[in-house]
Each structure stands twice: as structure tokens, then as C-alpha cells.
Amino acid sequence: MKKTIICTVCPNGCVVEAEYTTKEDLVLTGYGCKRGVVYCTDECFEPKRTFTSSVKIQGANRRMMPVRTTGPVPKELLMKCAEEAHKISLETPVKSQQVIKEDFLETGVDLIAAMTLE
Ligand code: SF4
């Protein structure tokens, strides 16, 4: 299989070519550093994304507040993350970076508030 991946780890945005049939014979070309190797290997075999969404909040002058995970989660869990986030209802005050759900869906990363609402 051949795949072109744009590495999003840093602003350089290296265009990496991946060729493989299994993880063991993966050949990557075009990357600028080892972080790109890790990112592109994950993109081929276990793609991950940082989850961002909004959850309900009460006591504020808005009905929803933005949240995100502290790191990437497996891409196939994004829909489940959205379903879980939909069940959450917070009350003010909430501080930016405040942990909303520890070890969100047992992914090893937390769901945190992305803004402060007093
Ligand atoms: S491969 Fe390295 S230098 Fe290139 S975009 Fe990814 S992190 Fe940046």
C-alpha cells in the first residue's frame, strides 16, 4: 500500500510517502525528524486525533462550552467521545484546563475545559 501523509506535528508540514504491507516492512520517505516517523507510523496503523467538542453548561451566559482532550485519542473512538461529551452537563465556575473527565473513555488522556466561565 502507498500513502501520502502530511505531518502535522510541527509547522514544517513535511510531505511523507509511506509504502508498506505490514508494520514491519513500512518504508517512510520525506520526513524531517523522528517525531514525523512516529506520527506517520501511527497514521498508517493506528491514527489518532485530539478530540474537541462542546458540552452543556449552566449558570453562564452561554449554553455550551468548548472542551478538548489533553492528547490524541484513537480515531475510531471519536464518535464514542462525542456521545460521551453529549451526556456531560457542567455548572459554573469552570476554569480553563480544568479536568472534566479523567482518563476519558480509558484513553489515557483527560477531557478538559478549553475556556474559563465564571
Ligand atoms: S517530520 Fe518532523 S520536521 Fe517534518 S513536519 Fe513532522 S515533526 Fe515537523
Side-chain angles (χ1 to χ4, degrees):
M1 176 183 281
K2 287 185 178 182
K3 198 171 190 173
T4 301
I5 301 162
I6 298 172
C7 180
T8 59
V9 175
C10 87
N12 285 348
C14 294
V15 178
V16 181
E17 299 295 337
E19 193 167 349
Y20 59 94
T21 49
T22 66
K23 203 169 187 175
E24 285 66 42
D25 69 6
L26 173 66
V27 176
L28 297 172
T29 54
Y31 58 88
C33 71
K34 288 181 181 173
R35 291 187 305 160
V37 173
V38 173
Y39 175 81
C40 293
T41 302
D42 279 352
E43 275 300 287
C44 291
F45 300 102
E46 39 194 339
K48 297 173 184 165
R49 296 289 182 273
T50 297
F51 172 72
T52 60
S53 184
S54 297
V55 300
K56 294 184 266 308
I57 186 149
Q58 295 176 357
N61 60 356
R62 54 192 295 160
R63 292 175 27 212
M64 305 294 283
M65 77 168 300
V67 294
R68 67 173 176 84
T69 51
T70 51
V73 302
K75 200 173 168 184
E76 74 261 15
L77 285 182
L78 289 175
M79 190 56 73
K80 183 105 174 99
C81 287
E83 289 168 7
E84 284 301 304
H86 186 70
K87 297 176 192 170
I88 296 171
S89 183
L90 303 174
E91 288 190 19
T92 54
V94 178
K95 299 275 187 206
S96 179
Q97 313 291 312
Q98 181 178 322
V99 174
I100 308 298
K101 291 277 184 186
E102 247 178 64
D103 192 15
F104 190 46
L105 290 176
E106 299 179 358
T107 55
V109 297
D110 299 334
L111 184 71
I112 60 170
M115 72 182 300
T116 295
L117 281 176
E118 301 292 344

